[in-house]
Amino acid sequence: MTWLSNSSVGRKVVMSVTGAALVLFLLFHATMNVVAIFSGDAYNAICKFLGANWYALVGTLGLGFLVVVHIIYAFILSVQNYRARGKERYAVTDRQKDVEWASKNMLVLGIIVVCFIFLHLYNFWAKMQLVELQHMAGCAVNTSLAQNGVYHIQQLFSSPVYSIVYLVWLAALWFHLTHGIWSAMHTLGWNNNIWMARWKCIAKIVATLIVLMFAAVVVCFAFGIAPICA
């Protein structure tokens, strides 16, 4: 199985599989967040279920592993492609003109997404699951808000700056997903003319659905449309 790390095709397969798994997580996470718009109690119940339990911790570690592997392989492939192009990277050809904007800027889009992940961890994970873990380890921390996800959402999006930052991130995520989803299917072998057209359509639908769900939470809480949770 060394070809998964030593060959270009193997690296692309790893990128595709980890990317597909992360897309499924985004679908789950976005669907979960939408619940907060309609019921603060229901959303907090989900937060409690996904707190510092063994299954939630296993899921968190697994997710972290997928993200790290995806990022590492993305940089390896980007450097590899950069070196392979050589002087051609400065040339403007008809082929390059036909390449999608997202395809040519996947690394930049990826960096924006990664920077946001750290910001998101600081705003939510560090104030929720991490606090519970610190409490379990015997640290003197206040856990009264550790499972109150709606409170943290309200506090964050009461700031116009954070609301704008999250919406900008969602725009970058949309472009990243629209290219990444169909590109992953192409790498995994679903690359004939009929299915590629279908996957490009599916990619836009899935990316749009994910982004709209996340954006709905931002907008609803920023404008006070969502339910108030004490």
Side-chain angles (χ1 to χ4, degrees), residues 7-213:
S7 72
S8 176
V9 174
R11 295 186 187 114
K12 289 180 179 179
V13 169
V14 173
M15 275 282 292
S16 299
V17 173
T18 56
L22 292 173
V23 169
L24 292 176
F25 169 75
L26 286 173
L27 274 170
F28 163 76
H29 194 19
T31 303
M32 182 187 82
N33 281 14
V34 168
V35 174
I37 297 176
F38 304 100
S39 173
D41 291 336
Y43 182 74
N44 284 342
I46 297 174
C47 292
K48 182 177 181 179
F49 178 75
L50 297 175
N53 305 297
W54 70 267
Y55 45 83
L57 293 178
V58 170
T60 300
L61 291 174
L63 178 63
F65 174 77
L66 290 173
V67 171
V68 170
V69 171
H70 194 74
I71 292 172
I72 291 174
Y73 275 72
F75 274 100
I76 292 175
L77 285 170
S78 295
V79 171
Q80 175 183 301
N81 292 337
Y82 183 82
R83 289 176 176 174
R85 287 197 302 268
K87 294 181 179 180
E88 290 183 5
R89 60 178 173 264
Y90 301 107
V92 178
T93 65
D94 292 336
R95 181 185 61 81
Q96 288 175 320
K97 291 178 181 178
D98 293 335
V99 175
E100 294 180 352
W101 181 87
S103 176
K104 293 186 291 184
N105 294 278
M106 281 297 279
L107 181 60
V108 175
L109 292 169
I111 291 173
I112 294 174
V113 172
V114 170
C115 290
F116 168 83
I117 288 175
F118 286 107
L119 180 64
H120 192 63
L121 289 173
Y122 169 76
N123 286 325
F124 291 99
W125 181 79
K127 298 175 182 178
M128 299 177 72
Q129 190 178 75
L130 180 59
V131 171
E132 290 187 272
L133 291 174
Q134 290 174 322
H135 177 70
M136 292 170 62
C139 299
V141 293
N142 183 2
T143 61
S144 61
L145 297 174
Q147 296 178 351
N148 195 338
V150 174
Y151 170 83
H152 294 295
I153 294 176
Q154 288 173 343
Q155 292 299 305
L156 184 68
F157 296 128
S158 63
S159 165
V161 173
Y162 265 120
S163 297
I164 293 172
V165 167
Y166 268 66
L167 291 175
V168 169
W169 167 74
L170 289 173
L173 180 64
W174 186 86
F175 283 107
H176 193 76
L177 291 178
T178 53
H179 174 75
I181 293 174
W182 72 256
S183 179
M185 295 303 105
H186 173 78
T187 298
L188 295 175
W190 293 40
N191 53 5
N192 59 63
N193 292 334
I194 295 176
W195 269 103
M196 282 315 301
R198 292 174 179 175
W199 277 117
K200 287 185 178 183
C201 180
I202 292 172
K204 290 181 180 179
I205 292 173
V206 173
T208 301
L209 180 62
I210 290 173
V211 168
L212 284 180
M213 286 194 287

